Amino acid sequence: AAQERAIKKDIVRLERQMEKAAEKLLDLLQEQESVPFNHARLLEITAELEEVRVNQTQLEGEWLAATIALEN
């Protein structure tokens, strides 16, 4: 029972982090559209977008593992 609560807590934490990552992604995409001629900033945004996407993939993997653990 304690392990199940811990897993559920992890799932909630991961879902919050995934929501924050999705918001960050949208913010960066909006900023990218607002600075089409600022090449230096566009390069920075591109790097940040890649970091967010890598983070999202990692979070999704952790979330999937936690939900599978909860089912077992």
Side-chain angles (χ1 to χ4, degrees):
Q3 184 178 9
E4 185 176 320
R5 281 193 302 275
I7 293 171
K8 286 180 180 179
K9 190 174 178 180
D10 281 344
I11 289 172
V12 169
R13 175 186 57 80
L14 289 165
E15 288 174 345
R16 275 196 309 264
Q17 289 178 339
M18 289 185 334
E19 286 176 16
K20 287 181 183 179
E23 290 172 8
K24 177 71 174 174
L25 183 71
L26 288 175
D27 289 346
L28 288 169
L29 290 172
Q30 288 176 347
E31 184 179 356
Q32 188 177 43
E33 291 177 7
S34 71
V35 292
F37 302 108
N38 184 340
H39 298 291
R41 182 60 189 136
L42 285 173
L43 289 173
E44 292 171 358
I45 292 170
T46 301
E48 290 178 46
L49 284 169
E50 182 61 26
E51 285 180 30
V52 170
R53 288 181 176 129
V54 167
N55 185 41
Q56 281 182 310
T57 301
Q58 180 181 351
L59 290 170
E60 289 167 357
E62 291 177 32
W63 179 85
L64 183 59
T67 56
I68 290 171
L70 186 61
E71 291 175 0
N72 292 335

